[in-house]
C-alpha cells in the first residue's frame, strides 16, 4: 500500500485551492493488514465471484450497486474504486454524486436502477432481519430471474469486500480504473 507523507497536498483533482497555495490535507492512514497478499486463495475466490456476477449485468448498474453498498458500509476504499470504475464505464459524475441521496434524486435513475438500489440497501442493512417483500417484488418486476440472481450476488459480494476493506483499513485514493490500466 502506498502512503502519503503528512501535510502533503493530494493531486490537483482532490480539491480546489482557491489561490496559489496548496491546501494541507490530513496524513494518509496505513492499512492494518495486506489481506489480499496474505490470503491470495480467498482473493482469487472473490475475484471469481466478481466475474460471475458481472456476466448478466450492465457495467454501470453493477458499479452503482457497489458504490451504494460501499457508501452504506462507510468503505472509502470501495467508494473510491467503484466511482472510478463507474466513470470509466461511462457513468456520469452527477449520478454518482446523487447516489447517496438517490431516494430524493429519483429522476436521475431508471425504474430498474431504483429497484436495484432499493434491493442493495435492503440486503446491505438488514435491520429488520429480512428483505421486505415489496422491495424484492419490485426488483423481480424489473429483472428476470437470472439477472436478479446476479444482482443479489453482486450485492452480497460487495458487502464481503466492504467488510474486508473496512476491517483492514485499505487506503482509498490509489485505484486506477481497469480501462486506464490497459
Amino acid at each position: 500500500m502506498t502512503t502519503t507523507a503528512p501535510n502533503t497536498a493530494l493531486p490537483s483533482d482532490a480539491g480546489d485551492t482557491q489561490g496559489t497555495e496548496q491546501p494541507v490535507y490530513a496524513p494518509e492512514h496505513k492499512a492494518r493488514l495486506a489481506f489480499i497478499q496474505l490470503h491470495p486463495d480467498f482473493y482469487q475466490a472473490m475475484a471469481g465471484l466478481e466475474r460471475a456476477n458481472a456476466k448478466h449485468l450492465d457495467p454501470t448498474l453493477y458499479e452503482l450497486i457497489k458504490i451504494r453498498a460501499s457508501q452504506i458500509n462507510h468503505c472509502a476504499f470501495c467508494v473510491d474504486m467503484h466511482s472510478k470504475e463507474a466513470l470509466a464505464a461511462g457513468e456520469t459524475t452527477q449520478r454518482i454524486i446523487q447516489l447517496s441521496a438517490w431516494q430524493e434524486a429519483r429522476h436521475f435513475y431508471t425504474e430498474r436502477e431504483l429497484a436495484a438500489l432499493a434491493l442493495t440497501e435492503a440486503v446491505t442493512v438488514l435491520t429488520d432481519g429480512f428483505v421486505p417483500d415489496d422491495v424484492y417484488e419490485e426488483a423481480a418486476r424489473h429483472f428476470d430471474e437470472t439477472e436478479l440472481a446476479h444482482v443479489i450476488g453482486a450485492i452480497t459480494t460487495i458487502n464481503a469486500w466492504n467488510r474486508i476493506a473496512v476491517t483492514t483499513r485499505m487506503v482509498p485514493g490509489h485505484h486506477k480504473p481497469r480501462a486506464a490500466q490497459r
Side-chain angles (χ1 to χ4, degrees), residues 144-161:
D144 67 34
E145 287 186 340
T146 299
E147 291 172 321
L148 186 56
H150 284 79
V151 168
I152 294 167
I155 297 165
T156 302
T157 304
I158 190 57
N159 273 281
W161 280 124

Side-chain angles (χ1 to χ4, degrees), residues 1-122:
M1 298 284 156
T2 309
T3 58
T4 305
N7 299 324
T8 60
L10 291 176
S12 61
D13 65 348
D16 184 10
T17 61
Q18 296 286 328
T20 58
E21 289 185 35
Q22 288 288 341
V24 177
Y25 294 93
E28 185 175 89
H29 69 266
K30 291 184 179 182
R32 289 178 174 156
L33 182 72
F35 184 87
I36 292 169
Q37 290 79 21
L38 295 168
H39 200 343
D41 292 340
F42 185 92
Y43 174 77
Q44 288 302 319
M46 290 290 288
L49 290 174
E50 287 289 340
R51 287 187 298 278
N53 292 330
K55 284 183 181 177
H56 293 279
L57 296 178
D58 172 74
T60 56
L61 175 63
Y62 190 43
E63 295 302 334
L64 290 175
I65 289 168
K66 293 194 267 186
I67 295 166
R68 186 63 193 127
S70 300
Q71 289 171 335
I72 294 166
N73 289 324
H74 305 284
C75 183
F77 180 87
C78 292
V79 168
D80 174 67
M81 171 188 281
H82 297 295
S83 294
K84 290 173 180 174
E85 292 294 341
L87 288 167
E91 187 54 81
T92 67
T93 302
Q94 188 166 34
R95 283 169 34 105
I96 293 170
I97 290 168
Q98 292 298 325
L99 196 53
S100 65
W102 67 270
Q103 291 172 325
E104 292 294 320
R106 296 176 63 85
H107 61 284
F108 287 101
Y109 307 98
T110 67
E111 292 296 321
R112 181 177 164 94
E113 291 167 335
L114 292 169
L117 293 172
L119 186 61
T120 298
E121 290 197 5

